Amino acid sequence: MTCDGGRQWLRLRNSLLPTLRQVGLFDTRTGWAAGAPSAMYPSGVFVTTDTGQSWRPLTGPATVTWSAAEMIDLQTGALAGRKGTTAAVRQGETRGDETGIFGLRGFGQLRLVPPTGGWLAAEGGLLLSTPDLGVSWQTPATELPDAAAAFDFYALAVHGPCVWAAGAPGTRIFHSADGGRSWQVWPTGISTPIRALAFADPQHGVAVGDLGAMLLTNDGGRTWQLCRAGGRRTALLGIFAAADDVPLELLARLCGDEGYLGAVEIIGRDDIEVAEQSPTHAADRTHEAVVAVGACGANTAWRFPVRQLGLELSAEQVAAVWDRANDGRAFEELRRHLVRLIRMWRPDVIVSHDASPQGDAPQEHLVNQLVLDAVEQAADPTRFASLATDAGLEPWQVRKVFAKLGPDQRGLPELTTSQVAVRLGSSLDDLCTVPRGILHDQFVAPPETFGFTLLLSRLPQDSGGRDFFEGISLQPGGDARRELLQPAPGSLEMLKQVAQRRRHLTGILRHAKGDVQTSAHLLAGANQLTRGLEPGTAGDVLYQLAQKFVEGGQWDMAAEMFDLLAESYPEHPLCPPSLCWLVQYHASSEALWRIQGSQRVRVEQAGDRPAAPGEGLAAHRRSA
């Protein structure tokens, strides 16, 4: 919260609240919030009457994460989420239709206009109005221009009868001055997505979007002036079949350390057949992880659902699933989507999947083929000409296309995950530890190397080399690259030593596979192994050691390692899952039987007393 216009901020520690997507205020004390449902708060909607110090959940059934919401008082409002789901809030209770009558679309922003009206912006060029404050939704009196089909609407502003909508791409603003009976389309001068709109009156407004863009208008949206931007386009675009395929270490090196602006697009959404297990949607987690390593953001396409994880489908079966969701036009829609993506972000380099003609990775193979096809078509002014005429997206030529190779495949270029990012003051694998944990439910150790191969180069022969941006001149502080951070004096040698030590530890961990003697030595020397390491790195090492003990069935040793992590590094992001494991372990009758019914191996350092079961957990609880 802030009480001085944003000069100072106070963090409200409401640790029991689930992920929130929107917050609104009526005055200095009362307001509302909406986001993800949870077992404790199934409605996902909350109100406050004490300036956010406490939040009361509204009643209602469990549902999807609300991505758009608006309340006109503490009892009345409207909600919208992914999968085309909407709901109304009446008398402090959420009531909605779970069928998702608007298809697979997600909703961007929602604005209610008392006493009965309102507007809702959605993906796929959909704009809806309501005559009853969100109980029902319908298309406007007059359909939007055909150009709207090329847009995903994320931003919405309403002032009296005036309505403005924008999104991705950010090239156009759609405006109605008469409540939707007629529409006008005006250019903005940028191509990157617009995420929010606000108007103080029918003439004066502001638009904000990706890459830090901020635009102002003084004539109701007819013309826009770009007053600031962190960039005008991206240098790097990653296109992958699933979030698990994103090479975070590559983004950390190119975007975080070297300053190239980058974005990621995930083609397949996996939230259709199986409900989300995490309280935070996969698309939101992917975006957060990508931003945490230095890229500008990640988007998950809404049109292309995938089947349950674990089903081995052929390329034809994957295409059939996409066809069912796109009226039999999946490949046409995906080509158009990718061409629009390339022309919107205007990258120099694309990184995607390698081909898999043997059928080992059918979805990745389809993405590989379609990306290469889209790169050709994005540069051709005769292909998808309506994207230029209707959406203002001119042809764009990508200079290089790289493919990420499979596990254990060598490539050129090749990325070593223990490589030091000097400007960021850490190794790449350390930088990606927390972001990787955002993507995965369980701890996943990074590979030692990522291999890549060059699929396409538009540079003159022998001028582009084999590295990602070799032969491409992008100045720091320009349209597609940040100003570079200056490394601390004398930091390089220290970071090299830390990275070398981390590589040594990683090698030890990879070869410790349940051998009792090796495990005993690791347990006895845990403090020595982590001495001198940064707290983040040390905590990672202890967690990996504990995981190795768990995998080898050595639960008592795992408990001592988790205990050491909780005691030594209570602020480490892997401390909470460590404590959860310890609670399960000390409450488990199976664990007790194993300890009492079999000989227990303990290695004690000279002068050390082994901790009693639960002692470290209790001490951590007291300190907390």
Side-chain angles (χ1 to χ4, degrees), residues 173-330:
I173 295 282
F174 292 77
H175 171 64
S176 174
D178 51 17
R181 287 189 291 274
S182 63
W183 293 92
Q184 295 172 299
V185 185
W186 294 319
T188 64
I190 66 171
S191 65
T192 51
I194 292 175
R195 300 290 177 178
L197 289 164
F199 275 77
D201 56 50
Q203 297 300 314
H204 299 87
V206 61
V208 295
D210 288 8
L211 307 188
M214 181 181 292
L215 302 98
L216 299 176
T217 181
N218 296 316
D219 55 11
R222 289 176 179 83
T223 60
W224 293 84
Q225 177 186 359
L226 183 67
C227 60
R228 74 171 302 276
R232 301 296 297 270
R233 64 183 185 88
T234 62
L236 177 71
L237 177 62
I239 304 175
F240 300 100
D244 290 347
D245 300 322
V246 178
L248 293 176
E249 285 77 6
L250 178 68
L251 298 180
R253 178 200 145 190
L254 296 179
C255 302
D257 194 49
E258 298 180 14
Y260 294 104
L261 300 182
V264 169
E265 183 80 4
I266 304 301
I267 299 301
R269 58 181 297 180
D270 58 2
D271 62 339
I272 302 302
E273 290 194 348
V274 180
E276 278 280 304
Q277 299 300 310
S278 170
T280 306
H281 195 275
D284 295 329
R285 298 201 311 274
T286 305
H287 173 76
E288 184 175 353
V290 164
V291 170
V293 297
C296 301
N299 179 69
T300 300
W302 64 272
R303 290 181 180 272
F304 310 105
V306 295
R307 299 294 304 274
Q308 299 179 34
L309 295 178
L311 293 181
E312 297 183 1
L313 303 181
S314 66
E316 291 75 15
Q317 290 172 316
V318 172
V321 173
W322 290 349
D323 267 336
R324 284 197 295 272
N326 290 276
D327 299 325
R329 298 179 292 107

Side-chain angles (χ1 to χ4, degrees), residues 426-477:
S426 184
S427 63
L428 297 179
D429 48 8
D430 280 348
L431 289 168
C432 296
T433 296
V434 173
R436 196 180 301 108
I438 294 172
L439 283 182
H440 301 280
D441 293 332
Q442 297 182 349
F443 180 82
V444 176
E448 293 183 8
T449 60
F450 283 103
F452 300 87
T453 185
L454 180 65
L455 299 180
L456 175 70
S457 176
R458 297 295 188 193
L459 298 181
Q461 191 173 9
D462 299 328
S463 67
R466 302 286 289 184
D467 205 0
F468 295 96
F469 285 96
E470 189 174 350
I472 300 174
S473 178
L474 293 174
Q475 295 302 315

Side-chain angles (χ1 to χ4, degrees), residues 77-90:
L79 308 162
R82 289 183 171 88
K83 306 179 189 178
T85 305
T86 61
V89 180
R90 295 294 185 270

Side-chain angles (χ1 to χ4, degrees), residues 553-602:
Q554 299 161 301
W555 292 356
D556 54 335
M557 293 186 176
E560 293 194 23
M561 201 61 67
F562 282 130
D563 226 358
L564 179 59
L565 191 159
E567 291 285 348
S568 304
Y569 308 103
E571 299 298 323
H572 194 281
L574 291 173
C575 184
S578 300
L579 292 173
C580 287
W581 190 92
L582 286 168
V583 168
Q584 295 170 333
Y585 169 74
H586 290 298
S588 168
S589 57
E590 171 68 16
L592 181 64
W593 182 89
R594 288 196 183 193
I595 293 171
Q596 294 180 344
S598 60
Q599 185 175 358
R600 200 168 175 212
V601 178
R602 279 189 178 272

